[in-house]
Amino acid sequence: MRTSIATVCLSGTLEEKMLACAKAGFDGIEIFEQDLTVSSSSPEEVRALAARLGLSLDLFQPFRDFEGVDQDTLQQNLHRAEQKFKLMQRLGMDLVLLCSNVATATINDDELFAGQIRQLADLAAGYGVRIAYEALAWGKYVNTYQHSWKIARMVDRENVGICLDSFHILSRGDDPADIAGIPGEKIFFVQLADAPVMSMDILSWSRHYRVFPGEGGFALDDFMAQLVRSGYDGIVSLEIFNDVFRQSNVVHTAVDGLRSLIWLQDRTLQLMQDEAERYPLQLTALPRAQAPNGFDYAEVRTEDPEQVAAMLSQLGFGFHGQHRRKPVQLWKAGDARIIINTQRSRGITAQVSGFGIQVDDDALAAQRARALRAPRVPRHQTGDEQALAGFTAPDRREVFFSRAAVTASWEEEFGVGAPAAEPGLVTGIDHINLAQPWQAFDESVLFYTSTLNLQANAGTEVPSPMGLVRSQVLRTGDGIVRLALNIVPQGLEAAIERNHEYPEHIAVATDDIVLLARRAIAAGMEFLPVPENYYEDLAARFHLPEPVLQTLRELNLLYDRDERGVFLHFYTATVGNLFFEVVERRDGYDGYGAPNAPVRLAAQFERNRLAGR
């Protein structure tokens, strides 16, 4: 499948966008007219640069507000179009996007639409130009792909077909099933966009909130399946209007876009199974996705390992040993492994720098990550050390794959540390909460779901003293691996770099949180204080017995309950950008204590404020 992307998706100059698209691995690009208009390069220079980069120039767009007008306006539109056709010749392009009229149409008549577009087609034929007619979701008279296809048939010219845009179809709730009945050769171009499910006017939704496939809520695999069934064998492109993307690193965004198309091809093949082989559009399959078996470890980077080590010891972790060659420690409790890494840590008080995932076949998992354009982590090891495949996520976290035998091997590199004084109560890592820079959030969602085979839960928003925190949970179906991504409110991105104000954490599980909390307090652990108002509200909401409430107050424990079970948890004090959470899930509770998140965020904010006096 040939891939393309509209230059409007990306930040930077036209030349920077072209370089990024080539570097990411796209086959071609759509030239958005405004990008060319403001460029210092002539059309001939743009054409030559594309040739040097190996990029095809696939679509010139957009040509707006043409049909449904009076005769005088039509003549003006034809003059305007002819100038664009001449420009396209200079660029070496032969396909233009004609959007359905949204502003100047005054006559609602399909015969008139077809007749005027027929005149445009005859003019375009003299310049070797084809026309892809697209129904905009907010078009004045033509706003569905079925209608645009009807008009294209009425035009009856070889150089007129349609453009299908997933956003314009799915945002209206239209069924894409009729696409399968359109002859593939009359579908001249296809544009894809995903979007979060939102309740707002379609135009604003389209102009600001589109995202790449896999980062929103549209069923794009079904859309693609209908496209495949049509017999289409052309270019599949991305057209994303997104305020964040147009402010973000152009190369990262381009790679994210191509990753989304690679992922979508694989999802479509899974949906169609053997059926896809009957059709001309060739989709590429990814190496098989594996269900993670659990967290292998979580890694904390810090220039002062003693603070983090003390907290782990208070929680019942035992020191397993120092790496025989590197300034790295391993701490263990139950199935939970925490690595404290002081490499490249100057100025870092403490932060979650990465984690490992256990799978059945780590080599296959690494192949899938590479196919999804995940950048490799440069890692050096001696001949007697375990080789691990690691990749850098968009949020700069390092993610490594392992399997049980490999874990046993790399653990041996740490020797044997001092045994714990008494049996620990921590059973494993429950989840990891990662703060996300605002410009990396959507990219991180796609990266973690596609490379780790996680499912994305519905996003939520949590109020905090710093603004609304957007949160997205990614997890396996059985909950053995859970990641919570929290987007840093725009304007506070530097909070992560300052290693305070916007913390993230590692949550560990226990079967007896009360006993663990008492032991931790006896060992000198400082918990995040919970205000009395919280417990008064808790009593009103859940009618808890006074002895239970008293225990919660005494230990600064938080409580939640749903139809499935009970959730108890507490938070440690924050060191740098890091704190730990201890959780106990009872009777099938599967959430994260979401009603308590504002309490935690407010308490941490107040603590940091007082510490900064």
Side-chain angles (χ1 to χ4, degrees), residues 34 49 67 121 127 148 196 239 296 309 396 399 464 478 486 493 511:
Q34 185 177 3
L49 176 59
E67 80 286 14
Y127 292 91
S148 63
E239 187 190 46
D296 193 28
R396 301 194 298 267
V399 182
S464 84
D478 60 6
N486 287 350
E493 310 85 54
D511 293 330

Side-chain angles (χ1 to χ4, degrees), residues 548-559:
V548 173
L549 278 170
Q550 185 55 41
T551 299
L552 298 178
R553 285 190 185 95
E554 174 194 352
L555 301 175
N556 283 290
L557 300 182
L558 295 101
Y559 178 97

Side-chain angles (χ1 to χ4, degrees), residues 168-381:
H168 291 300
I169 295 169
L170 301 178
S171 64
R172 293 173 49 89
D174 288 350
D175 188 345
D178 289 341
I179 292 173
I182 301 174
E185 65 272 12
K186 295 302 287 183
I187 302 173
F188 281 7
F189 206 73
V190 174
Q191 296 171 323
L192 296 179
D194 207 338
V197 177
M198 306 177 77
S199 178
M200 65 187 311
D201 69 277
I202 295 179
L203 179 58
S204 298
W205 191 13
S206 172
R207 284 290 174 259
H208 302 284
Y209 297 102
R210 296 194 193 195
V211 289
F212 291 130
E215 298 176 357
F218 289 165
L220 288 180
D221 51 354
D222 180 55
F223 178 92
M224 280 292 294
Q226 304 302 339
L227 178 68
V228 171
R229 292 176 183 127
S230 75
Y232 180 74
D233 190 24
I235 295 164
V236 176
S237 186
L238 297 168
E239 187 190 46
I240 312 297
F241 297 92
N242 185 293
D243 298 343
V244 173
F245 290 5
R246 285 180 279 190
Q247 300 175 62
S248 303
N249 181 284
V250 62
V251 174
H252 290 174
T253 306
V255 170
D256 184 31
L258 188 63
R259 178 181 298 128
S260 75
L261 288 178
I262 294 169
W263 169 87
L264 183 58
Q265 291 180 71
D266 186 66
R267 287 292 296 263
T268 305
L269 283 170
Q270 292 179 45
L271 181 66
M272 301 186 73
Q273 298 183 356
D274 295 337
E275 179 189 355
E277 297 178 1
R278 308 175 197 167
Y279 302 105
L281 188 62
Q282 297 297 306
L283 304 179
T284 301
L286 286 168
R288 177 177 55 84
Q290 301 178 73
N293 298 326
F295 284 107
D296 193 28
Y297 64 86
E299 180 181 280
V300 175
R301 181 163 283 127
T302 174
E303 67 177 0
D304 183 7
E306 292 307 312
Q307 289 189 77
V308 178
M311 294 174 71
L312 291 174
S313 177
Q314 290 162 346
L315 290 173
F317 279 77
F319 175 64
H320 189 74
Q322 181 87 22
H323 193 274
R324 59 193 179 209
R325 188 175 60 86
K326 305 172 187 175
V328 179
Q329 300 175 12
L330 173 61
W331 290 74
K332 293 178 62 175
D335 290 330
R337 302 173 192 84
I338 306 292
I339 287 175
I340 303 177
N341 189 346
T342 60
Q343 300 178 105
R344 306 184 303 279
S345 62
R346 184 182 297 274
I348 299 175
T349 305
Q351 64 180 208
V352 180
S353 55
F355 56 90
I357 295 291
Q358 285 198 350
V359 291
D360 290 336
D361 188 337
D362 53 329
L364 183 64
Q367 289 175 20
R368 181 179 176 87
R370 286 193 292 271
L372 285 162
R373 302 299 196 271
R376 291 287 299 268
V377 173
R379 184 175 182 272
H380 303 286
Q381 67 270 333

Side-chain angles (χ1 to χ4, degrees), residues 87 101 122 307 314 325 346 377 426 435 437 447 476 518 601:
L87 175 61
N101 199 321
D122 292 342
Q307 289 189 77
Q314 290 162 346
R325 188 175 60 86
R346 184 182 297 274
V377 173
V426 170
F447 177 90
T476 55
R518 293 192 188 283
L601 289 166

Side-chain angles (χ1 to χ4, degrees), residues 358-360 362 386 402-412:
Q358 285 198 350
V359 291
D360 290 336
D362 53 329
Q386 179 64 50
S402 184
R403 62 184 192 278
V406 170
T407 300
S409 177
W410 69 252
E411 278 191 359
E412 292 177 359

